[in-house]
Amino acid sequence: SAVLNVDLQTDAMLQVDISDALSERDKVKFTVHTKSTLPNFKQNEFSVVRQHEEFIWLHDSFVENEEYAGYIIPPAPPRPDFDASREKLQKLGEGEGSMTKEEFTKMKQELEAEYLAIFKKTVAMHEVFLCRVAAHPVLRKDLNFHVFLEYNQDLSVRGKNKKEKLEDFFKNVVKSADGVLVAGVKDVDDFFEHEKTFLLEYHNRVKDASAKSDRMIRSHKNAADDINRIASSLYTLGTQDSTDLCKFFLKVSELFEKTRKIEARIAADEDLKLADLLKYYLRESQAAKDLLYRRSRALVDYENANKALDKARAKNRDVLQAETSQQLCCHKFEKISESAKQELIDFKTRRVAAFRKNLVELAELELKHAKGNLQLLQGCLGILKGNT
Amino acid sequence: MLLVTKKFHNKSEFEFMKLFAARNDSFLSADANVELSTDKSGSSARKEPSGPRHASSFTPSPAAMQPTSLEQVQATAEPNPLKTCENLSTNCVMFLSSLGDGMNAYVAYKVSTRTSLPMFRSKVFSVRRRFSDFLGLYEKLSVKQSLHGCIIPPPPEKSVVGMTKVKVGMDDPSSVEFVERRRAALERYLQRVVSHPSLLQDPDVREFLEREDLPRAVNTQALSGAGFLKMINKASDAVNKMTIKMNESDTWFEDKFQEVENEEQQLRKLHVVVDSLVNHRKELCGNTAVFAKSLAMLGNSEDNTALSRALSQLAEVEDKMEQLHQEQAASDFFIFAELLGDYIRLLGAVRGCFDQRMRAWQRWQEAQSTLQKKREAEAKLLWANKPDKLQQAKEEITEWEARVTQYERDFDRIGMTVRKEVLRFEKEKAKDFKSQIIKYLEAMLQSQQRLIKFWEAFLPEAKAIA
């Protein structure tokens, strides 16, 4: 799906979407399609092929850019993970001899549908990232972003090697240690103090809810799978003979076949509307926390620069240098604070809107499926009771 | 006498039991009424709410009426209306009490009967029985010659592990579930016994229902769950090892036996999957409860008021879903899984009848060959001219001729009994499966209706987010 972004000031339009995707052995190739009237692009419409690592490169380049310290960097999409699905398909292939042809075909269809669902999800998540960037008034102008969109060769961004991953890990450890330190200092500004308290708690709770929603949905899928096998088993029983009871079994088997499709859909919709929503806001709230951290760091730098200036004035040495440094820190801090405030307000607006949309859709889908189930059951019971 | 009123530490397991019990109008600490009635189409057991009990007709088809030909077997598959006595009703009621303590504790079940059948001493009576008594009843019935060929309902399985846990601490929810499962299984067992026309006439059955102090049953070790099936299978093996192969005049018995074996296999497979469903449903239940709490916490920290409220409402919906899943799991188990378990055991019993017939045939063949040997011996004696031994030989021949006739009659009789029993069984089975599965589906339907209500209530809350 595409998001139309109109820059009211320059009248330039930037529209990004993933128009196609190809799943190969161990990677996914996304076709990133851009429509734009921005002058810096050579054409108005073009496409390139990108892999997951290149999205990560782009995200990291935003994070590392000092200019963007005052913004919530749109969270990077998670790595496409087909391992579990592939393993299941392989196991199915190995176990082909031990089940009937119908069972095998059914299971294969199920697993292929699952694979497809995961595929669609990863495409959606990569697309959301690009759309968020394209919607951001500052980030959309980023040069790396434009290169990402337009350069039709491989960006040659290899994944981080072990050493770099380790460095990242330690950086995060330090950051969280700092985070704890910084979080302890009460902010003068009420707005930021409130946001800090709020985000710390909110992030943890979203994390918890996300993990638990996943477990719940997995159980639901398992139950739906069982109903599938029950349907098959009843079908076998029903085909043994043509007695009344056998006909009964066939009818019930048919019912279970249909209800389990609905149950599987319910699990999938809960996954999409609830679990994915929570996962996304887990990542976004982390990005918001990172922003607060950067602001805190800037504040600490500013306070240190003040102290250095005082010391310089006292010693009457390198005063000008200290003054310049202090002014830079002050400016940086104020710039971050100003944009951070707006970013956090926008974050809330986006969050509320996203939750509203997803919860309404979730409720509507649950209702639709429950009514579908109800109808099936009523219909089947009517026939079964009528015949006995 | 201690009433089992347990403290339920884990609310959800207790709810699991109560929900199922509630739906079937029986509570752990109250009486469960089971009414036995027959209408024109055979005997069935229906559960009635406790309180005013009402009579319905019960027709024991006289065991004395042994059909003498195949046509009559087909005709008497339906209870003959002309054979009904006056309107009667028999009820079987159970509830639990636990006596003793520690490892010597045992659970006593109260078996209550209400009847107007003249062969019983009173109209309403109840007795205390323990699990081994039920096994003992089966033991007695299964060895009776007169009941050979009859499909004698097998009792529920013994479970050393389950029972030990119960003995140690009656408080925990899995014990509660275990005891309720057993109680329900024993009740179904008795229902099947008393709804069998020949078994109801049996004095051991009557004694079981009526007699105050029943002598302790011995030799019930053999009748553990695994033991029961081992017994059946051992018998099958003996039959398979028979050197003389039976020449069936009609293939009905062979075909039917094969059918029964196939069906048993299929039901086993289905049972495994239904068990899996029960477990996954219970898992779903637990995970939903945990998620609901987590969602409530999230709602608490959300600083947009409307969204906060909506999340709390969603948490409540998930809580209600947990309740539904619980009920559904109870339904999966008590209605579906137990039905399958019962019939797997019953089909084993059916196989047992076929084996009994084979052994009767074997006995007849052996008697015939013995008779043949006696005749040959007589012929030899005639030749050898030993008059005193000859007399004995003639006597023996007469004796064995009588036996051969008897065993042939036995074999024919068992054959007809088996046919009749199988027909009756198939009708009962069809009715049982249909009624239970319909009950199961109706429970599912109710679930969906409630689900719809929950989400309909939530939707405006979600839309109100601003």
Side-chain angles (χ1 to χ4, degrees):
Chain A
S1 61
V3 173
L4 196 64
N5 295 292
V6 177
D7 189 334
L8 291 168
Q9 285 174 323
T10 64
D11 242 357
M13 177 258 286
L14 177 61
Q15 182 180 312
V16 183
D17 66 276
I18 296 182
S19 59
D20 196 4
L22 182 65
S23 165
E24 284 182 1
R25 178 93 205 121
D26 55 352
K27 53 189 165 204
V28 180
K29 294 194 170 143
F30 302 96
T31 304
V32 178
H33 167 245
T34 312
K35 262 199 189 140
S36 178
T37 56
L38 281 169
N40 33 339
F41 291 122
K42 294 197 194 70
Q43 299 165 295
N44 282 354
E45 187 169 355
F46 48 89
S47 292
V48 294
V49 177
R50 292 283 171 249
Q51 289 184 42
H52 175 73
E53 286 74 25
E54 293 164 308
F55 286 76
I56 300 301
W57 165 81
L58 182 61
H59 170 263
D60 289 350
S61 76
F62 291 151
V63 170
E64 286 156 15
N65 190 332
E66 286 281 333
E67 289 297 304
Y68 302 147
Y71 307 125
I72 295 180
I73 310 295
R79 192 181 73 86
D81 185 8
F82 295 99
D83 291 344
S85 193
R86 252 192 232 115
E87 205 181 292
K88 277 196 216 169
L89 270 169
Q90 193 170 356
K91 269 207 190 111
L92 180 68
E94 287 166 5
E96 186 177 352
S98 70
M99 51 179 94
T100 70
K101 190 156 171 284
E102 290 94 20
E103 279 176 329
F104 178 76
T105 316
K106 245 210 300 198
M107 288 230 67
K108 186 154 166 282
Q109 278 172 354
E110 277 303 298
L111 286 180
E112 282 172 351
E114 197 181 292
Y115 192 94
L116 189 65
I118 297 175
F119 187 69
K120 280 193 186 151
K121 256 214 266 192
T122 194
V123 168
M125 292 197 275
H126 284 75
E127 192 177 74
V128 159
F129 169 70
L130 294 178
C131 293
R132 276 270 278 122
V133 176
H136 194 283
V138 175
L139 294 176
R140 77 209 298 247
K141 299 187 189 136
D142 180 85
L143 192 61
N144 283 334
F145 183 46
H146 291 179
V147 168
F148 177 94
L149 290 176
E150 200 182 23
Y151 186 62
N152 58 11
Q153 305 285 337
D154 192 339
L155 289 172
S156 292
V157 290
R158 55 174 178 53
K160 295 193 170 150
N161 63 27
K162 213 175 190 173
K163 181 161 167 281
E164 286 166 335
K165 280 200 185 136
L166 214 58
E167 282 170 359
D168 269 359
F169 172 72
F170 281 118
K171 239 193 276 177
N172 278 330
V173 169
V174 169
K175 189 161 68 170
S176 55
D178 272 3
V180 169
L181 178 74
V182 163
V185 176
K186 191 171 181 340
D187 205 308
V188 193
D189 187 330
D190 275 345
F191 173 81
F192 284 104
E193 183 58 29
H194 168 84
E195 285 300 307
K196 186 171 65 184
T197 319
F198 164 71
L199 272 174
L200 282 172
E201 191 184 64
Y202 186 81
H203 176 79
N204 287 335
R205 293 193 177 175
V206 160
K207 194 186 226 174
D208 191 56
S210 173
K212 288 169 180 169
S213 77
D214 279 344
R215 271 203 283 276
M216 178 183 80
I217 290 166
R218 201 173 15 245
S219 297
H220 209 146
K221 283 204 185 106
N222 288 339
D225 284 342
D226 286 332
I227 297 176
N228 192 12
R229 285 154 68 203
I230 290 174
S232 296
S233 205
L234 281 173
Y235 180 80
T236 310
L237 272 167
T239 50
Q240 297 295 317
D241 205 340
S242 52
T243 59
D244 247 6
L245 184 59
C246 285
K247 291 199 191 104
F248 186 90
F249 282 150
L250 286 175
K251 197 91 203 72
V252 177
S253 165
E254 194 186 310
L255 170 72
F256 281 159
E257 187 54 59
K258 292 188 186 136
T259 60
R260 75 105 192 144
K261 280 202 176 86
I262 294 184
E263 291 299 321
R265 264 254 65 84
I266 293 174
D269 286 340
E270 284 176 348
D271 198 19
L272 228 63
K273 301 294 169 191
L274 197 50
D276 278 355
L277 175 72
L278 292 169
K279 272 195 205 78
Y280 187 77
Y281 278 93
L282 175 61
R283 296 201 298 275
E284 273 262 13
S285 58
Q286 181 62 51
K289 268 171 57 178
D290 290 344
L291 170 60
L292 280 182
Y293 166 75
R294 289 194 293 270
R295 179 179 168 274
S296 293
R297 266 246 73 89
L299 178 59
V300 167
D301 288 345
Y302 178 34
E303 284 171 350
N304 288 343
N306 270 335
K307 288 196 194 115
L309 180 59
D310 286 345
K311 215 157 69 173
R313 283 192 178 138
K315 287 195 183 144
N316 203 5
R317 217 175 46 189
D318 298 322
V319 173
L320 189 60
Q321 193 181 351
E323 276 180 348
T324 322
S325 171
Q326 189 254 27
Q327 271 174 1
L328 273 170
C329 285
C330 173
H331 175 74
K332 182 175 169 199
F333 172 68
E334 284 174 350
K335 181 167 164 245
I336 289 183
S337 286
E338 190 188 322
S339 60
K341 194 164 195 167
Q342 190 55 49
E343 288 281 305
L344 289 167
I345 291 171
D346 289 345
F347 171 59
K348 192 186 305 285
T349 314
R350 268 203 316 276
R351 182 175 81 246
V352 173
F355 269 80
R356 183 188 191 280
K357 177 172 180 285
N358 279 284
L359 291 183
V360 168
E361 285 174 0
L362 174 71
E364 286 172 345
L365 284 165
E366 293 271 3
L367 272 171
K368 174 175 155 210
H369 294 316
K371 286 181 179 159
N373 255 339
L374 184 66
Q375 228 178 6
L376 280 174
L377 283 162
Q378 280 168 335
C380 186
L381 272 168
I383 296 178
L384 293 178
K385 279 160 120 167
N387 285 347
T388 37
Chain B
M1 180 196 85
L2 274 166
L3 259 184
V4 171
T5 47
K6 301 171 197 43
K7 296 188 212 58
F8 295 98
H9 297 301
N10 182 342
K11 174 175 177 265
S12 58
E13 280 286 357
F14 171 59
E15 296 301 330
F16 175 87
M17 298 310 312
K18 214 164 75 146
L19 293 168
F20 173 74
R23 205 162 0 125
N24 287 279
D25 296 305
S26 67
F27 290 82
L28 276 174
S29 55
D31 297 343
N33 277 338
V34 172
E35 188 162 331
L36 298 173
S37 61
T38 46
D39 43 37
K40 292 268 169 58
S41 52
S43 57
S44 62
R46 277 170 27 247
K47 286 206 165 59
E48 300 280 271
S50 51
R53 309 170 187 175
H54 54 269
S56 58
S57 59
F58 180 89
T59 314
S61 56
M65 280 290 299
Q66 287 292 350
T68 52
S69 74
L70 203 59
E71 296 83 65
Q72 268 192 292
V73 169
Q74 311 285 39
T76 54
E78 316 257 346
N80 191 337
L82 290 175
K83 297 289 176 289
T84 54
C85 311
E86 58 289 337
N87 275 354
L88 311 155
S89 78
T90 312
N91 284 354
C92 215
V93 170
M94 303 179 83
F95 87 101
L96 313 171
S97 63
S98 80
L99 310 171
D101 46 26
M103 290 307 290
N104 293 320
Y106 64 92
V107 178
Y109 300 90
K110 181 178 172 191
V111 177
S112 302
T113 312
R114 200 164 68 87
T115 178
S116 53
L117 285 172
M119 61 190 177
F120 290 99
R121 282 198 299 268
S122 39
K123 292 203 188 298
V124 183
F125 50 90
S126 61
V127 290
R128 298 228 182 291
R129 296 284 177 255
R130 46 189 296 183
F131 184 67
S132 53
D133 294 333
F134 290 82
L135 297 183
L137 175 64
Y138 175 80
E139 169 82 354
K140 287 187 195 137
L141 294 174
S142 58
V143 298
K144 285 199 179 161
Q145 265 281 32
S146 58
L147 293 175
H148 267 194
C150 283
I151 300 171
I152 302 182
E157 316 203 336
K158 223 177 192 186
S159 167
V160 177
V161 175
M163 218 36 220
T164 315
K165 274 208 290 202
V166 172
K167 286 184 193 211
V168 168
M170 285 284 256
D171 268 7
D172 78 281
S174 65
S175 302
V176 173
E177 189 181 319
F178 176 83
V179 173
E180 172 54 28
R181 176 184 181 179
R182 176 167 276 191
R183 183 207 66 81
L186 289 173
E187 195 170 69
R188 290 194 305 274
Y189 164 64
L190 271 189
Q191 286 170 353
R192 291 197 174 101
V193 167
V194 300
S195 64
H196 190 300
S198 310
L199 294 180
L200 184 60
Q201 302 289 331
D202 189 285
D204 281 323
V205 172
R206 242 180 297 149
E207 185 183 66
F208 182 90
L209 291 175
E210 228 180 6
R211 183 166 167 178
E212 276 294 321
D213 282 304
L214 202 66
R216 278 286 302 276
V218 293
N219 293 333
T220 57
Q221 297 293 52
L223 294 174
S224 65
F228 169 74
L229 288 173
K230 238 195 283 182
M231 191 173 76
I232 297 283
N233 290 332
K234 225 175 25 175
S236 288
D237 286 341
V239 167
N240 287 337
K241 288 198 182 82
M242 264 167 42
T243 44
I244 321 160
K245 275 300 165 196
M246 189 167 179
N247 219 346
E248 294 279 9
S249 50
D250 74 86
T251 53
W252 187 91
F253 289 95
E254 259 173 52
D255 292 343
K256 202 44 95 171
F257 188 75
Q258 196 58 52
E259 254 179 62
V260 166
E261 269 191 335
N262 285 345
E263 191 163 22
E264 193 178 331
Q265 217 181 24
Q266 292 303 327
L267 287 184
R268 274 182 201 281
K269 276 200 206 147
L270 183 56
H271 194 223
V272 167
V273 188
V274 173
D275 260 348
S276 175
L277 177 63
V278 171
N279 286 333
H280 284 142
R281 205 84 85 171
K282 282 188 179 168
E283 228 176 66
L284 176 59
C285 197
N287 287 340
T288 307
V290 162
F291 176 61
K293 285 197 186 76
S294 185
L295 209 53
M297 295 286 276
L298 183 66
N300 276 344
S301 37
E302 173 57 62
D303 60 358
N304 175 296
T305 333
L307 178 54
S308 171
R309 210 177 68 223
L311 286 171
S312 302
Q313 300 283 29
L314 184 62
E316 271 179 46
V317 170
E318 293 292 343
D319 232 352
K320 291 184 187 142
M321 301 268 272
E322 183 228 339
Q323 185 87 328
L324 280 185
H325 292 315
Q326 194 148 253
E327 288 176 25
Q328 189 63 58
S331 176
D332 293 341
F333 181 73
F334 281 101
I335 302 180
F336 204 179
E338 289 285 85
L339 171 74
L340 295 171
D342 281 357
Y343 274 90
I344 289 169
R345 275 197 302 279
L346 277 165
L347 286 171
V350 174
R351 276 193 291 126
C353 294
F354 279 81
D355 288 341
Q356 280 176 335
R357 177 177 169 267
M358 290 301 264
R359 272 176 281 144
W361 182 81
Q362 200 176 10
R363 210 179 321 135
W364 174 34
Q365 296 304 305
E366 283 168 3
Q368 277 186 317
S369 89
T370 309
L371 177 63
Q372 182 64 18
K373 288 200 189 84
K374 297 286 178 198
R375 287 199 173 127
E376 286 168 4
E378 188 203 29
K380 281 207 191 100
L381 286 173
L382 270 171
W383 254 108
N385 200 13
K386 294 206 174 116
D388 45 336
K389 285 206 179 142
L390 202 61
Q391 181 56 28
Q392 188 188 358
K394 281 203 197 296
E395 280 168 10
E396 283 180 3
I397 286 177
T398 315
E399 182 198 336
W400 279 95
E401 276 174 347
R403 282 207 195 173
V404 166
T405 313
Q406 181 59 46
Y407 290 164
E408 182 178 4
R409 251 203 292 257
D410 284 346
F411 171 70
D412 284 338
R413 187 177 54 83
I414 287 192
M416 297 225 243
T417 307
V418 168
R419 277 185 113 109
K420 186 168 69 114
E421 285 285 292
V422 167
L423 285 171
R424 180 181 169 272
F425 172 75
E426 284 182 338
K427 287 191 70 197
E428 286 302 302
K429 176 174 64 125
K431 223 182 352 191
D432 226 348
F433 266 89
K434 284 184 193 176
S435 80
Q436 289 297 91
I437 290 181
I438 285 179
K439 200 157 90 169
Y440 181 65
L441 296 180
E442 281 173 342
M444 276 174 78
L445 192 140
Q446 276 177 21
S447 230
Q448 293 302 318
Q449 282 168 330
R450 286 164 64 195
L451 198 67
I452 289 173
K453 281 205 182 71
F454 298 155
W455 287 105
E456 275 176 347
F458 175 72
L459 189 56
E461 293 290 341
K463 288 189 170 156
I465 300 171

